Amino acid sequence: EAYQKQAEQDRAKICEIAKALLDECKQASNGCDLHVSIPSDDEIVTFCKNARYLRILETRPLFAEYKVQDPASPTLSILKPTSFENIPNFDTIQADARDDLQSAMFDPYETDPIQTPLLWWIALRACDAFYDRHEHYPGKHEQELALESDANEVYKFMTQIATNLGLSECDFIKEHLLDSSKGKDLAREVVRYDEAEIHNIAAVVGGVASQEAVKLITGQYVPFDDTYVYNGIASTAGVYRF
């Protein structure tokens, strides 16, 4: 009986809010016809039963992500400039994303921490930064000196991106990325792969992408919030907010 009473109070409150919002819309419509009506009692009851499963995913333009991660990127000149002041709650979204990234560093891949997906994402993002400046990915030239030069430049971008993401003081990042020996090993590996696309990795990522598309199309289940990173070396993955 107590649950039923609370459920009825919730239904009445939601109904009251819906009516108030509809009245506001009518006032703002300046006499125009509104193709909106108050939800039925059954719809409100269904909403109340499932409200705890609702999620709001706040995204932002690609320009804003580039501006934070690689503010000197030439790509910013071709992306549509976006004033941060025009992005609702940008500072809050950015602060929450940094907190999430720092929290993720307390849960590295147990078997081999160097295989933590975030480390490889930073390395690949550094390859994008390299491409933005040279119009080709690192590893194009096979001479040993050229490969080492590319790796050094990629590592420089890796450290900049980690710093711009607010991770430079994280112990895990200090040990596995900012340490020049381990960090340059990561850089050499992504330079060595030379933008290769392997069919089995493409199949896995394509399957994940199609699953997320179905979620968006049907409006059921919660899609990934931001970036999915798959590490085919260790068959592990992570979802990060940037």
Side-chain angles (χ1 to χ4, degrees):
E1 183 178 348
Y3 291 112
Q4 290 180 347
K5 183 177 180 181
Q6 183 62 53
E8 178 58 30
Q9 291 176 353
D10 292 345
R11 186 202 64 78
K13 186 63 177 177
I14 292 296
C15 186
E16 178 185 338
I17 294 173
K19 289 179 179 178
L21 290 174
L22 186 59
D23 289 340
E24 289 180 10
C25 291
K26 288 180 178 178
Q27 292 175 6
S29 66
N30 295 322
C32 297
D33 291 335
L34 286 178
H35 300 286
V36 181
S37 60
I38 196 74
S40 67
D41 284 345
D42 288 342
E43 288 174 332
I44 291 177
V45 169
T46 300
F47 175 84
C48 291
K49 286 181 178 179
N50 296 280
R52 59 182 171 176
Y53 303 113
L54 294 176
R55 298 292 185 274
I56 296 177
L57 303 184
E58 297 181 294
T59 59
R60 56 185 178 169
L62 185 60
F63 175 87
E65 183 174 323
Y66 262 80
K67 189 70 173 176
V68 171
Q69 297 170 8
D70 188 10
S73 172
T75 300
L76 289 172
S77 63
I78 60 174
L79 290 174
K80 182 179 180 181
T82 302
S83 173
F84 290 167
E85 288 78 11
N86 295 330
I87 303 176
N89 305 321
F90 176 82
D91 291 337
T92 301
I93 295 173
Q94 184 63 28
D96 290 346
R98 291 197 173 196
D99 289 343
D100 287 349
L101 286 177
Q102 291 173 357
S103 297
M105 293 299 89
F106 289 102
D107 186 27
Y109 183 60
E110 293 183 358
T111 305
D112 184 4
I114 201 66
Q115 299 301 339
T116 300
L118 181 60
L119 294 177
W120 293 95
W121 179 89
I122 293 174
L124 291 175
R125 184 67 185 79
C127 289
D128 288 338
F130 184 100
Y131 179 90
D132 290 344
R133 289 153 176 84
H134 300 283
E135 297 186 352
H136 68 82
Y137 282 95
K140 178 180 179 180
H141 305 291
E142 297 181 356
Q143 295 88 346
E144 185 175 347
L145 287 177
L147 293 174
E148 187 63 21
S149 175
D150 286 356
N152 288 334
E153 187 169 357
V154 167
Y155 178 67
K156 180 189 73 173
F157 290 132
M158 288 168 59
T159 59
Q160 291 175 356
I161 292 168
T163 300
N164 292 338
L165 289 172
L167 298 175
S168 58
E169 296 303 317
C170 173
D171 290 340
F172 179 81
I173 293 296
K174 286 181 178 179
E175 179 180 355
H176 295 286
L177 192 148
L178 298 183
D179 177 271
S180 61
S181 176
K182 295 180 180 179
K184 285 188 177 180
D185 283 345
L186 278 172
R188 293 187 185 100
E189 185 66 14
V190 292
V191 168
R192 184 185 69 84
Y193 102 109
D194 187 23
E195 198 195 355
E197 295 184 1
I198 305 174
H199 58 86
N200 57 339
I201 303 301
V204 172
V205 176
V208 172
S210 63
Q211 172 182 280
E212 297 308 297
V214 170
K215 292 179 183 178
L216 293 171
I217 293 169
T218 61
Q220 296 183 9
Y221 307 105
V222 180
F224 289 146
D225 186 2
D226 216 312
T227 305
Y228 173 83
V229 184
Y230 178 70
N231 179 350
I233 300 174
S235 296
T236 185
V239 178
Y240 306 102
R241 296 175 63 199
F242 295 107

